[in-house]
């Protein structure tokens, strides 16, 4: 069993600020730290730390930020044999975090736009593979890999984040679509339906999970509706919590847990991640999530 993540890898520059800046506003922060990030890398790290054999396919540049972007992947033991080094600069994100843990993020994709579905060979897409994708790499490459993976029997989980334009036929080819409440609203407007998991599933015909932060998560499946509360914690930094949720969800599904059990485990891990700074660095190891679940 394997979790294969196709997506972005970034160097995150995290600024601790007393308040999030408004347009035209300069805010003096308390300091800046660098962390590994990027939705794809974050999710791969989360899956690996939860115990899944994990592969990451993506791109970094030939600059110093590449070491930052891949540090957590290497530390978590993620297979990087499908990581390409290209001439574009490594992706970089600027993240402002206020005392309540809320964040404001700007991303320069850089090398992530060079990621290609061809980096993942057909032999890696089997019924024993859980493929996890996001939208910080070219949409056409995401769509191509979705269709190839489904044709070969892999489980396909798409985190439609950020909510980029992906052909509806690609959305309908996934096994599970994961969106947060903002992404759900954007997709619902495009599909002319309500932004609930049920409404989105009715239109797309695939299982849909909607995460709503401290309000919990809901999923609509062929078997019915799953609604789970969030674990209550004091948030320090919510950056990467959604990525942690997705990665742990896929690790749990990959080892045979039901969607409901996988969602509960993902919620516990994401809650722990909110209590720590950074994105990939904040994901817990399996034993910590086990303890949160009791």
């Amino acid at each position: 069993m394997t979790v294969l993540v196709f997506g972005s890898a970034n160097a995150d520059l995290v600024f601790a600020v007393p308040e999030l800046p408004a347009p035209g506003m300069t805010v003096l922060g308390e300091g800046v730290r660098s962390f590994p990030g990027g939705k794809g890398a974050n999710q791969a790290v989360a899956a690996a730390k939860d115990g899944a054999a994990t592969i990451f396919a993506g791109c970094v540049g030939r600059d110093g930020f590449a070491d930052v972007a891949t540090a957590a992947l290497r530390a978590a033991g993620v297979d990087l044999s499908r990581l390409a080094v290209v001439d574009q600069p490594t992706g970089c994100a600027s993240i402002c975090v206020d005392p309540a843990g809320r964040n404001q993020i700007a991303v320069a994709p850089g090398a992530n736009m060079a990621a290609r579905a061809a980096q993942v060979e057909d032999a890696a897409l089997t019924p024993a593979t859980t493929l996890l994708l996001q939208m910080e790499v070219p949409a056409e490459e995401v769509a191509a890999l979705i269709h190839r993976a489904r044709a070969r029997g892999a489980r396909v989980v798409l985190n439609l984040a950020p909510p980029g334009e992906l052909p509806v036929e690609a959305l309908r080819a996934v096994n599970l679509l994961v969106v947060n409440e903002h992404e759900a609203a954007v997709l619902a407007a495009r599909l002319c339906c309500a932004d609930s998991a049920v409404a989105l599933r009715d239109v797309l015909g695939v299982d849909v999970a909607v995460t709503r932060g401290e309000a919990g998560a809901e999923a609509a499946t062929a078997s019915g509706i799953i609604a789970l509360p969030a674990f209550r914690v004091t948030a320090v930094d919510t950056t990467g919590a959604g990525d942690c949720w997705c990665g742990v969800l896929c690790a749990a599904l990959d080892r045979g847990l039901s969607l409901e059990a996988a969602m509960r485990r993902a919620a516990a891990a994401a809650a722990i991640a909110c209590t720590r700074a950074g994105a990939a660095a904040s994901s817990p190891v399996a034993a910590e999530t086990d303890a949160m679940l009791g």
Side-chain angles (χ1 to χ4, degrees):
M1 307 296 284
T2 303
V3 175
L4 196 162
V5 182
F6 177 65
S8 58
N10 291 335
D12 287 353
L13 303 179
V14 181
F15 298 81
V17 294
E19 61 180 311
L20 298 179
M25 178 181 182
T26 298
V27 176
L28 295 180
E30 300 169 5
V32 60
R33 290 176 290 174
S34 62
F35 296 96
K39 288 186 176 297
N42 294 345
Q43 293 176 7
V45 169
K49 291 174 77 172
D50 198 54
T54 307
I55 298 168
F56 175 75
C59 291
V60 293
R62 304 181 190 280
D63 48 41
F65 278 143
D67 291 336
V68 176
T70 59
L73 290 163
R74 297 183 192 281
V78 175
D79 181 341
L80 298 180
S81 58
R82 294 159 186 84
L83 175 71
V85 179
V86 298
D87 290 333
Q88 293 93 321
T90 300
C92 187
S94 172
I95 304 169
C96 292
V97 181
D98 74 6
R102 295 171 298 186
N103 60 56
Q104 196 173 75
I105 306 172
V107 179
N112 294 311
M113 290 297 102
R116 297 293 181 263
Q119 291 171 237
V120 179
E121 72 279 16
D122 282 348
L125 302 171
T126 75
T129 304
T130 298
L131 174 67
L132 174 57
L133 313 99
Q134 327 74 34
M135 297 297 294
E136 287 186 336
V137 294
E140 61 271 20
E141 301 298 327
V142 172
L145 193 52
I146 286 172
H147 290 300
R148 281 177 50 213
R150 280 306 299 271
R152 298 186 64 83
R155 177 194 285 118
V156 180
V157 179
L158 172 64
N159 177 210
L160 195 68
E165 289 285 333
L166 199 66
V168 172
E169 58 266 27
L171 295 174
R172 288 177 172 154
V174 307
N175 295 98
L176 176 65
L177 176 67
V178 179
V179 288
N180 66 18
E181 51 194 341
H182 167 67
E183 294 147 7
V186 173
L187 180 59
R190 179 185 171 197
L191 299 176
C192 300
C193 68
D195 62 1
S196 67
V198 171
L200 291 169
R201 188 184 190 283
D202 285 345
V203 173
L204 295 172
V206 301
D207 291 350
V208 177
V210 180
T211 61
R212 302 188 183 279
E214 61 185 18
E218 63 176 359
T221 74
S223 303
I225 300 170
I226 300 168
L228 296 175
F231 287 76
R232 298 299 174 187
V233 295
T234 300
V236 171
D237 181 3
T238 58
T239 306
D243 295 333
C244 176
W245 195 96
C246 291
V248 172
L249 177 88
C250 286
L253 291 173
D254 189 63
R255 58 178 176 263
L257 271 66
S258 68
L259 179 58
E260 181 171 358
M263 288 175 61
R264 186 175 292 111
R265 184 170 186 83
I272 295 170
C274 287
T275 67
R276 301 169 176 172
S282 68
S283 290
V285 297
E288 293 174 305
T289 303
D290 292 340
M292 174 69 85
L293 289 167

